[in-house]
Amino acid sequence: ENCIQLTAEVNNQLGCAWSGSQIDFASDFNLTLDYYFGNNINGADGNTFTFQPSASTACGSAGGQMGAGGLTNALAIEFDTYDNDNPMHVYDMACDHIAIEIDGDHQNAAPAAGPVCAKTSMGNIDDGNVYEVVIDWNATTQILEVFFDGVSRLTYNNDIVNNVFGGQSQVYWGATAATGGFNNQQYFCPSSIVI
């Protein structure tokens, strides 16, 4: 009952869910979330956890853009469950993977960090299981670290406030997801927030 479904197991769906309150990148924080990526290893497209200063109603593009593509001044941690015709999309991977995007393009431009396989075993994450995702921000060192299923998978070091958010430290935070020609039910559950 504390979970939010982002997409049903239906093609061409788009879902975005934002917190009504903002989070401040001028301070340390730690977010723990549970994610369900679906139960169809041939499904698509994936989820993001996104920070953006624009609005608590923002929503990006569907399909491989996973609901966050096109959002300006946004930092999106993508959990991509579909290989979009590699090698045409050269930054996609065969394994379900994690990347950090800051340019608003989840298919055609280089990620700011990653991609790396979500699992160290390089398997699928749309396998019917719920996975814990931890996002940790250290405001002093300006390091954002992403843990997947208890393992550190990605770190990103940048002055995010000035270089991504246009100087705004307080931003909206939430999750997005999308399906395209293939689908999966996708949801997330905010578990804990430590500021």
Side-chain angles (χ1 to χ4, degrees):
E1 70 185 56
N2 295 319
C3 298
I4 299 168
Q5 179 170 288
L6 297 166
T7 66
E9 200 168 348
V10 178
N11 289 1
N12 302 309
Q13 298 289 295
L14 175 64
C16 303
W18 301 101
S19 171
S21 61
Q22 294 179 310
I23 198 163
D24 193 352
F25 269 72
S27 302
D28 297 350
F29 62 78
N30 182 281
L31 305 171
T32 302
L33 314 142
D34 291 326
Y35 268 89
Y36 179 77
F37 301 99
N39 195 23
N40 177 2
I41 60 170
N42 296 312
D45 266 278
N47 297 249
T48 77
F49 193 86
T50 298
F51 302 94
Q52 51 83 21
S54 301
S56 61
T57 57
C59 217
S61 303
Q65 297 290 347
M66 290 173 274
L71 296 179
T72 58
N73 295 344
L75 183 146
I77 302 162
E78 71 170 30
F79 304 94
D80 193 329
T81 60
Y82 187 73
D83 184 2
N84 287 285
D85 305 316
N86 198 13
M88 187 173 75
H89 298 102
V90 296
Y91 301 106
D92 223 333
M93 298 176 72
C95 65
D96 291 350
H97 59 273
I98 303 171
I100 293 176
E101 301 279 359
I102 61 171
D103 59 9
D105 188 344
H106 292 256
Q107 286 188 291
N108 304 302
V116 296
C117 294
K119 290 181 172 180
T120 54
S121 64
M122 300 168 53
N124 290 297
I125 59 175
D126 49 356
D127 57 2
N129 292 313
V130 174
Y131 291 97
E132 182 183 78
V133 171
V134 175
I135 300 165
D136 187 75
W137 168 248
N138 185 308
T140 303
T141 62
Q142 298 184 331
I143 293 176
L144 184 75
E145 187 168 13
V146 181
F147 296 81
F148 188 86
D149 204 25
V151 178
S152 175
R153 298 302 293 145
L154 204 55
T155 59
Y156 179 56
N157 183 211
N158 192 356
D159 180 359
I160 294 171
V161 171
N162 291 307
N163 296 334
V164 180
F165 300 146
Q168 297 183 59
S169 68
Q170 294 192 358
V171 294
Y172 295 102
W173 53 278
T176 70
T179 64
F182 297 97
N183 62 66
N184 256 318
Q185 178 192 28
Q186 302 172 94
Y187 63 79
F188 84 111
C189 318
S191 180
S192 72
I193 302 164
V194 178
I195 300 173

